[in-house]
Amino acid sequence: MSERFYITTPIYYVNDMPHIGHIYTTVMADIFARYKRLTGAEVRFLTGTDEHGQKIEKAAASQGIEPIQLADRVVARYHSLWKTLEISHDDFIRTSEDRHKRGVTEIIRRITAAGDIYEGEYEGWYLAADEAFIPDSQVKDGHDIESGRAVERLSEPSYFFRLSAYQEPLLRWYRENPDCIRPRTRYNEVLSFVEGGLRDLSISRTSLKWGVPYPGDEEHVVYVWLDALTNYISALGFGNDNEGPFEKFWPASMHLMGKDILRFHCVYWPAFLMSAGLPLPKQVFGHGWWLRDEAKMSKSIGNVVRPDYLIERFSADALRYFLAREMTFGQDASFSDEAFLERFNADLANALGNTASRTLSMTGRYLDSKVPAVSGNGPVPAAAAAAVASYLEHMEDCEPHRALEGAWQLLKAIDVHIQEQQPWARAKEGDAGRAALENTLYVSLEGLRITALMIEPFMPAIAKNLRHQLGVDDMPRNLGDATSWGGLAEGTAIGKTEPLFPRVDIKAYLKEVQMDTEKEATPKAAEDDLLSIDEFFKTKLVVGTIREAAQVPKSKKLVQLKVDLGEPKLRQLVAGIAERYEAEDLVGRQIVVVANLKPAKLMGVESQGMLLAANLEGAPFLLSPDAEVPPGTVVS
């Protein structure tokens, strides 16, 4: 029986659009899923969205829509992005689905039957940003010490889970299964946390309605983390009449996530499963954070990298490669456009693209586009065997960045061999140089075929393109027999040679996107002050609807606005229009907003954009469409 491999991402909260952090987790899960398929494993790959909780309820209410409408909008964006990135998930679970609600009901039934749930009253600090209760020791001046976010004091009836009863069983699980949490630093953190003692956990809320109704008591909804974590089994059919793939794929081979939610998955989740009498996941892997300006990327901070421009300009595969290669899996890494571009040129355009282009072009020019006789002479076959062995070892050990190093060592061996043998010189020697010419090109072509197999989990579209150019579309694709030397048959016709990754002028690109920090400020002639059409279109103008308005305290001119721009959250703007407009008269009015300005503070209040107004003798006149249009409509 073949290996079964069940890998999951966390389900992503629908309070904002996906950014580079979501993409990284999902791309890495996809890489492992694709890798395992190529080794012959039977794979199940799950991702999805977490759609319940206080933040969603509040965000939807502020926009005058139902929570499910907000969720649907964001979920559509996930589906579109995962398609663009060629994410090969087998299932996409939404916590608003009935199949998920049935799974939650069933796990609560089992935990209740085990005697691990009781009724009580909860009073404590609640961090809405994380949908988590936090201890008094973690609160100072009404804020969570770790995140700096505001917390609120809650007191309400609640059902409690006897988490404290599972301290010793959890510690025993950790110690008997030292690889159940990776990397080791995360394992040590969780072990230390649990050794410090566990308190019983509130698992229901009465102060909100958007969630899974608590079984038998619909005055309560299920606490969002018990709800959310159950997705990993509800997606397999747990709790449904037909349990589908649950018996086949559970327990999970790997829960993959960012390190910030590791505690929920390594403490709460296994305790819930123990109580319900269900097997525990084999491994929980908490990867690092992508940092920008030495700070964790966060939508609340506003320093996230949106992927769209990188994908549109350089391809989804280029982004996938960078994410996998740049970060030591499990540690933090810094994202910069310069680092992306340098890797693009060095690794993709040069090492991969140029090596493939040279080899294929010379095959077309000197050998009439036909693969020569099979050869195993020279250093390349040994380099290929070493690269495959290194690649497999590091992929199995969850070191994808090092697996790619192995593949690129093979590319280097091919390039060095070409430089040493100089097939262009052998071609000029006629029959005397024919054998050396054919040998050099065969081992280079065969090395590229094996490279295409190794890069497929990371860059599926490029791997397919390379195989097509090599003329091996119909050859077996696996990381077993197909990686053996000599698979490329004599006489195979290569396809049309096209560049895989054209080289980028880094300096010109950074200037184009206004990121060239070395750009010198020079005096400009009057005509240089004119904008090009490309420069104009860098300004994002959209129509917004004002939902809330209030005068900024101690200011005669400033009004604080909450504006609907068709985004999951209302955008806060501060505008100097109070002397002409009463705040209450602005609610419901449509305006035009510059939506891609850096945030700025006016009188201590952050403004996340700028509205447009005509100025007549110092008096502002707001610009509006002449008929109502949906918020977020682009002005062009």
Side-chain angles (χ1 to χ4, degrees), residues 521-541:
T522 57
K524 294 185 177 182
E527 59 268 23
D528 288 340
D529 290 335
L530 297 175
L531 296 178
S532 69
I533 190 67
D534 291 335
E535 288 174 317
F536 172 78
F537 278 125
K538 289 177 183 176
T539 303
K540 183 180 179 182
L541 302 176

Side-chain angles (χ1 to χ4, degrees), residues 338 506-524 528-532 535 538:
E338 290 85 352
I506 295 178
K507 197 168 185 179
Y509 176 78
L510 291 175
K511 182 178 180 180
E512 179 185 330
V513 296
Q514 297 181 333
M515 291 182 181
D516 189 356
T517 57
E518 298 178 357
K519 182 178 179 182
E520 294 182 359
T522 57
K524 294 185 177 182
D528 288 340
D529 290 335
L530 297 175
L531 296 178
S532 69
E535 288 174 317
K538 289 177 183 176

Side-chain angles (χ1 to χ4, degrees), residues 67-305:
I68 191 63
Q69 293 175 283
L70 175 61
D72 287 345
R73 181 192 302 167
V74 178
V75 166
R77 176 66 175 124
Y78 274 102
H79 282 309
S80 174
L81 185 57
W82 293 166
K83 183 177 180 181
T84 298
L85 285 163
E86 295 201 49
I87 303 302
S88 63
H89 53 285
D90 299 289
D91 197 359
F92 188 103
I93 184 73
R94 299 180 60 178
T95 57
S96 58
E97 295 180 73
D98 287 341
R99 62 169 174 158
H100 174 70
K101 295 174 184 177
R102 288 191 289 269
V104 173
T105 298
E106 176 59 17
I107 197 170
I108 289 176
R109 185 193 68 78
R110 294 191 182 200
I111 294 173
T112 302
D116 287 330
I117 293 178
Y118 63 91
E119 291 185 67
E121 186 81 14
Y122 179 82
E123 181 177 351
W125 296 108
Y126 187 75
L127 179 59
D130 289 343
E131 299 284 4
F133 298 106
I134 59 175
D136 292 352
S137 60
Q138 199 173 312
V139 176
K140 183 178 181 180
D141 299 328
H143 290 78
D144 171 38
I145 293 173
E146 289 185 1
S147 67
R149 297 188 178 105
V151 296
E152 57 182 320
R153 194 77 178 175
L154 293 180
S155 177
E156 61 181 354
S158 179
Y159 287 92
F160 284 82
F161 170 68
R162 298 185 195 278
L163 182 63
S164 59
Y166 287 89
Q167 178 174 340
E168 288 306 316
L170 284 169
L171 291 172
R172 186 163 55 251
W173 179 56
Y174 304 148
R175 290 165 180 155
E176 292 176 356
N177 300 276
D179 286 333
C180 66
I181 303 169
R182 292 190 64 190
R184 190 67 181 184
T185 52
R186 305 283 98 81
Y187 172 92
N188 291 336
E189 289 169 8
V190 172
L191 185 67
S192 177
F193 173 79
V194 176
E195 285 176 337
L198 297 176
R199 298 173 56 190
D200 290 351
L201 180 69
S202 170
I203 59 167
S204 73
R205 296 286 304 278
T206 58
S207 55
L208 64 109
K209 298 300 180 185
W210 179 237
V212 176
Y214 192 89
D217 189 347
E218 296 200 357
E219 292 296 314
H220 293 245
V221 297
V222 178
Y223 168 56
V224 71
W225 274 105
L226 175 54
D227 170 0
L229 289 163
T230 305
N231 91 88
Y232 302 125
I233 55 177
S234 67
L236 295 176
F238 176 79
N240 291 267
D241 292 337
N242 178 8
E243 292 199 342
F246 176 74
E247 294 294 336
K248 189 175 186 180
F249 284 101
W250 189 256
S253 305
M254 180 190 287
H255 288 319
L256 181 62
M257 71 212 61
K259 61 184 179 180
D260 50 335
I261 56 173
L262 197 70
R263 187 178 299 173
F264 301 103
H265 287 79
C266 298
V267 181
Y268 297 176
W269 181 225
F272 293 151
L273 292 169
M274 287 177 179
S275 177
L278 296 171
L280 306 190
K282 297 175 184 176
Q283 188 174 97
V284 180
F285 199 109
H287 65 70
W289 289 333
W290 281 100
L291 308 176
R292 188 153 191 153
D293 301 324
E294 302 305 316
K296 178 194 176 225
M297 288 190 195
S298 166
K299 52 186 173 288
S300 60
I301 297 174
N303 66 342
V304 296
V305 172

